Amino acid sequence: MVNLTLKFVAFARGSGLRISTSEVLDCLNHLALVDVLDQEQFAMTLRTNFVKTYRDQPAFDRLFRLFFHELRDADTSKHAGTLNGHIEEALAAMQQQMQPGGLPQPIRDFLLDDPLGYLQALQAGRAEQMGPGQALGGNMGGLVNRLAIMLALDNARSAMARYLSENRNSIPWEIREDLNAYFTARLRNARDLLFENQPAVGAGVQTRISQDQRLNQLSGKAFQALTPKEMQELREVIRKLAAKLKDTLNRRNAKRSRGMLDFKKTVRRSAQYYGLPMEVVYKKRIPHKSKLVVLCDVSGSVWSAARFMLNMLYSLQECFTKVRSFIFVSDLTEITAIFERYEADTAMDKVLSEADIDYQAATNYGRMLRLFQDQYLETLNKKTTVIIIGDARSNYQDPEEGILKEIREKSRRLIWLNPETKQFWYSGDSEAATYQPYCHEFRLCQNLDQLHDFIKELVL
Amino acid sequence: MKAMLRPIENNEGTRCCKFEGVADVGAKLQRAGYICSKEIATVVYLAMVTQKPILVEGPAGVGKTELAKAVANSLNRRMIRLQCYEGLDEAKALYEWEYGKQLLYTQIVKDKINEVIKDAATLTEALDRIAGEEDAFFSERFIQPRPLLQALYSEEPVVLLIDEVDKADPEFEAFLLEILSDFQISIPELGTRKAVEIPFVVLTSNNYRDISDALKRRCIHLYIDYPDQDLELKIVQLKYPEISRQLALQVVDAVRHIRKLDIKKKPSISETLDWAHSLVALQVKDLSPETMADTLNMIVKYKADMDLIRRQAGHLLK
């Protein structure tokens, strides 16, 4: 029993399951307590000890079936002793026949009832296949690997057939028949293993990842490239991210808000208890919040990124004392009121229909800055963070970078988010190079990942 | 399913406080109102005999918490429950010094303290004397035991349920390790405290995040999935004996079909039971698509899911 269990452990480890020594010891102890002849109990005892997450469960069940049923069934318990010699002889002969390189060791072992090496080879192939190198040809590695094994198996089969026909006279008929059956079954087993669709371990992980992966793909996709359906999904994701950020922030504030001992209050309260400090009072720290001013370019491509940022900022409104938002093309107009009136998603749609702005005009960053300077510059103070989101493409008009400098001096931070691919930043009518030196930060914001990173830095 | 546990009838007249074997576990749990598969019974039995914690995973509502309750019920043990959440700390889970009580006691015994230091020649000597009595102020008297310490201190064996351990912070897991492997706790002022009676520990997880390998290694693992048709039917009939077999079959069948749809929240056993309960209350004899549409909010928690199922209602009830 111990041997069998250890063999299974080696087999399972070979297929990528992680089993620690202490778990094996526990399992052996447990086996003494249950009825090992009851298959359910036996299987459950192994499973409860060796599989510690539901994701590996399907893999375990498969390995269990394979080890205790399929490989056993093919076993020739009825003619164990008599055939063994012949098998080895046959393998030796096959080894010689197969040129070049002979029979690969793992396959040879597999045919000799030791599946470990073969499984490891398969696992290695799969790992390669699933590895992160998903670039072009990245998934070819596994295929090539499998192809090699498949060829070796085919070769082994024909070598066996040749061996049997060549030795037609020297080996008795019954034994030849048995040998043929044995090898055919084994090779079929090997082939089945090879072609099993699911990767050995982490079968469950796969399905789970596909969900996460989908979100990952989504959050890694450029805003401009999203389909309407994906935009819907992304809004959902944003809502979740925002809720998570808020949670983190609240918890952090709760922990941090306990400041020094408030001596005055403690003494005052202690008057109730004959001067005993029964209630100890601590000073509360007020979390520091900043005011945001957001300027969004709504011309074409930029808007798709800007809307998500606005969405996220307004979902996080309580993290700031005030969020004021403006949109511009050539004119500049404030849209804060729209967001105050409607819930973020609705507001987003209203912005384009209700805001008083000429969407057909040519983008003019210089004019926008002048307008901002005229009307709103005095609203900035040292608690204000200014965020400009735009591609800085100003159609070759005066960039007015002097005003940007002024904004920088008047505010706490000035951050520019550019949704344009970095390669194009300094080409054509882009003023990125002009504006960049005046900003505290000038960063790329093309997809949700980057946006999320930015917002996280902003609030935390 | 909650609050539906009936106390076990002690028809033998004896308190059962141990399981005798895998089959016995199944029988006793069933008497406590929990029908389990052989797999669950095996794991519970092993955990019991080898005094190892069980880590239970599975979708919400398949009876993870209920299992702990049933075990407590059938073993006639008290159940101590620790609900985990983000930000759970030692003071809430393990113990807390009762500051107010300490202060109060100090006041009450003020005269005694004065006596102790009355004839001290110097300030240093007085302090030394008080220091000699330090243990009086930091003794177990002033500790407020929280669930984990309660479980260790209990004179009678208990069932300790650590619910939704994945919701707690990773640091919390680390300090569970000492408790789960050695059943002891270190309190800096008092030293190490060992469990009086080893509790039967059940941890549940909803896969909110992955649990550390170290913790997993100390537990034996149990995955409870949605039950198969027979088992679910049995559970429904056990909880609501007045339900007709025909209706129970329809309910179980419909739920099984709904689980196969691509919906956000799949109905689990507790939803099946809620549904069966409401159908019984409405005195429904036969489940028609209309009744199903009317009572759907018992099993489905999202509007999108509801719409999807309404569209398929006729198809689901065959």
Side-chain angles (χ1 to χ4, degrees), chain A residues 18 20 22-23 26 29-31 33-35 38 40-42 44-45 47-49 51-55 57 208 236 244 247 251 255 274 276-280, chain B residues 22-23 38-40 42-43 45-47 49-50 52 55 57 86-87 99-101 103-104 107 169 171 207-208 210 213 216-223 264:
Chain A
R18 288 223 316 255
S20 75
S22 73
E23 283 166 340
D26 284 343
N29 284 334
H30 287 170
L31 282 176
L33 295 165
V34 298
D35 180 8
D38 181 338
E40 266 178 71
Q41 289 190 26
F42 178 71
M44 201 56 203
T45 309
R47 192 165 90 180
T48 195
N49 279 293
V51 181
K52 296 291 167 80
T53 159
Y54 74 99
R55 287 179 224 155
Q57 207 145 303
R208 190 182 160 100
E236 189 72 18
K244 216 172 185 179
D247 273 0
R251 232 176 314 125
K255 243 180 203 168
Y274 283 101
L276 274 182
M278 282 299 278
E279 280 176 63
V280 181
Chain B
V22 176
K38 206 172 195 177
E39 295 177 347
I40 298 179
T42 310
V43 174
Y45 176 66
L46 287 176
V49 180
T50 52
K52 277 192 147 259
L55 171 64
E57 282 186 314
E86 252 178 289
Y99 167 74
K101 199 169 164 190
L103 205 62
L104 216 60
Q107 284 307 301
D169 307 313
E171 306 91 70
N207 300 305
Y208 185 72
D210 269 339
D213 282 344
K216 281 193 213 153
R217 206 161 48 72
R218 282 167 176 79
C219 304
I220 59 178
H221 179 264
L222 174 64
Y223 179 72
K264 279 187 190 163

Side-chain angles (χ1 to χ4, degrees), chain B residues 221-232:
Chain B
H221 179 264
L222 174 64
Y223 179 72
I224 305 185
D225 206 344
Y226 300 119
D228 58 31
Q229 189 165 7
D230 289 346
L231 198 61
E232 193 158 18

Side-chain angles (χ1 to χ4, degrees), chain B residues 68-131:
Chain B
K69 286 188 194 164
V71 169
N73 214 329
S74 59
L75 292 177
N76 242 330
R77 289 186 177 189
R78 188 157 70 97
M79 189 178 88
I80 295 176
R81 179 174 179 164
L82 174 67
Q83 178 69 47
C84 296
Y85 52 88
E86 252 178 289
L88 176 71
D89 57 358
E90 295 180 40
K92 292 272 161 32
L94 201 51
Y95 68 90
E96 207 169 16
W97 287 107
E98 287 187 274
Y99 167 74
K101 199 169 164 190
Q102 280 171 325
L103 205 62
L104 216 60
Y105 275 47
T106 321
Q107 284 307 301
I108 294 168
V109 297
K110 213 174 189 172
D111 298 338
K112 196 80 195 156
I113 298 172
N114 285 337
E115 230 167 79
V116 172
I117 56 171
K118 198 165 58 189
D119 50 343
T122 61
L123 197 58
T124 324
E125 198 189 336
L127 280 178
D128 282 346
R129 280 193 199 171
I130 291 183

Side-chain angles (χ1 to χ4, degrees), chain A residues 35-87:
Chain A
D35 180 8
V36 285
L37 294 179
D38 181 338
Q39 195 200 302
E40 266 178 71
Q41 289 190 26
F42 178 71
M44 201 56 203
T45 309
L46 293 191
R47 192 165 90 180
T48 195
N49 279 293
F50 295 157
V51 181
K52 296 291 167 80
T53 159
Y54 74 99
R55 287 179 224 155
D56 286 345
Q57 207 145 303
F60 173 86
D61 290 344
R62 213 175 49 78
L63 290 173
F64 186 86
R65 203 180 59 237
L66 192 68
F67 186 81
F68 287 103
H69 294 283
E70 286 166 21
L71 291 183
R72 296 289 123 182
D73 290 346
D75 248 2
T76 45
S77 46
K78 46 179 179 172
H79 29 232
T82 53
L83 208 56
N84 265 354
H86 287 291
I87 292 173

